Amino acid sequence: MKNQQILGLSQTYVANTYSRFPIALVRGKGCRVWDADGKQYLDFVAGIAVNNLGHGHPNVLRAIQRQSKKLIHVSNLYHTTPQAELAAALCQNSFAERVFFCNSGAEANEAAIKLVRRYGVERLGGRYEIISTFNSFHGRTLATLTATGQEKVRAGFDPLPEGFRQVPYNDLSAMEQAIDAKTAAILVEPIQGEGGVIVPRDGYLRGLRELASAKGILLIFDEVQVGMGRTGKLFAYEHFGITPDIMTLAKALGGGLPLGAMLARDEVARSLAPGSHASTFGGNPVVCSAGLAVLKTLKRNGVLENCVKMGKLLLEGLRSLQASFPVIREIRGKGLLLGVELDCEAAKIVEECLREGLLINGTANRVLRLLPPLIVKKKEIEQALDILAKILARQ
């Protein structure tokens, strides 16, 4: 089928919950994708930080193929090798000692919220409230959108669950003043992605860690977007010399398959006993095999080093564009999560890039978000910069 045929079926039968671009993607390889009419695009969205190893990475494909021939699914009433091995690998490469597997970032954050509630009952005298930050994004279930600090995400879903408040990001004093006798946890993204690629000020995350420890409450890092190598380290918290009590992952964890995880210290994780939480497909053998392949590839194949190197190259190139085009107000980010704040709406630039064969993302109204696969090469960075320069010159 061609683009228009696929669009017709989609528009007729698929729930209208997304503002989609008028193309249907049918194939991907490395940092490139093709639509149903055969047009090629350079993909600097990567499934919104999902395809960190690009499209069709051979290590991930082999893992999926091998496992799918042996066992595709069994209930979590039983143990499986891929789930056990991935849990061990995640713990051995992080602060965590226990892992709960699910299917998405929202579900990982739901698990974290439930863990906080149960821990609050058992260990904190009934505390239950979670303080997150304005401009954050934590998911679209009722609990996670309530934790999200963006009114456009929350609008129209009242009454929202109680037990959530927001304070400004990067404001340690505001967080300290908000903590009271009901507070059980602080929930933050180490770098805000959907909120416009907002990087924390020096000392902010360390201050949150010290504050949580001093108050005897939990610190949760939502690393759904920034985890699994996106910032140049396996987990973003490694940049800041601290560890959280709970961390949530998804997106890139499954190499393109739906896989989420909540990681926690054992002393905290014990509050979720058998029967307290579950997920039918969580930790599925095939997706865990893919996740294990992703983790091994990130650790052994120079991918993190490439992320750092190409991130610097892309950042330098964007700064060069900023010197030539005043429409660029600010460039920020870390590794291969970069945001370009503009003096105009980002949507127009994103659409023009699409026509020129470059996929990028607009967020927070005026921010271009660039999320190329971590395997991106110099020539692909240069091609993307050339396209952006061509478009910005027309503004």
Side-chain angles (χ1 to χ4, degrees), residues 169-225:
Y169 191 73
N170 265 331
D171 190 334
L172 193 58
S173 176
M175 184 66 75
E176 184 173 11
Q177 292 174 25
I179 295 172
D180 60 22
K182 295 183 293 184
T183 308
I186 296 167
L187 168 62
V188 295
E189 300 158 276
I191 298 173
Q192 289 188 333
E194 295 294 327
V197 190
I198 308 299
V199 179
R201 295 192 185 101
D202 289 345
Y204 175 65
L205 296 180
R206 178 173 292 278
L208 291 181
R209 173 68 277 175
E210 293 171 354
L211 183 59
S213 297
K215 299 289 186 179
I217 61 177
L218 300 175
L219 178 62
I220 311 165
F221 280 175
D222 178 342
E223 293 222 14
V224 169
Q225 184 166 145

Side-chain angles (χ1 to χ4, degrees), residues 325-390:
F325 302 108
V327 70
I328 298 178
R329 294 183 57 189
E330 185 180 7
I331 300 162
R332 51 185 181 255
K334 191 176 287 289
L336 284 170
L337 168 59
L338 293 174
V340 180
E341 186 172 341
L342 305 173
D343 270 335
C344 64
E345 294 293 313
K348 179 183 178 183
I349 306 298
V350 172
E351 290 172 3
E352 291 192 40
C353 284
L354 178 73
R355 286 193 287 270
E356 296 289 341
L358 172 65
L359 304 184
I360 59 173
N361 175 246
T363 190
N365 297 322
R366 294 184 172 222
V367 178
L368 300 177
R369 180 171 44 170
L370 283 74
L371 299 157
L374 310 188
I375 60 166
V376 69
K377 296 180 175 62
K378 179 181 178 182
K379 64 180 180 180
E380 293 162 331
I381 296 282
E382 291 172 345
Q383 181 185 352
L385 291 169
D386 287 344
I387 292 172
L388 274 172
K390 178 180 178 181

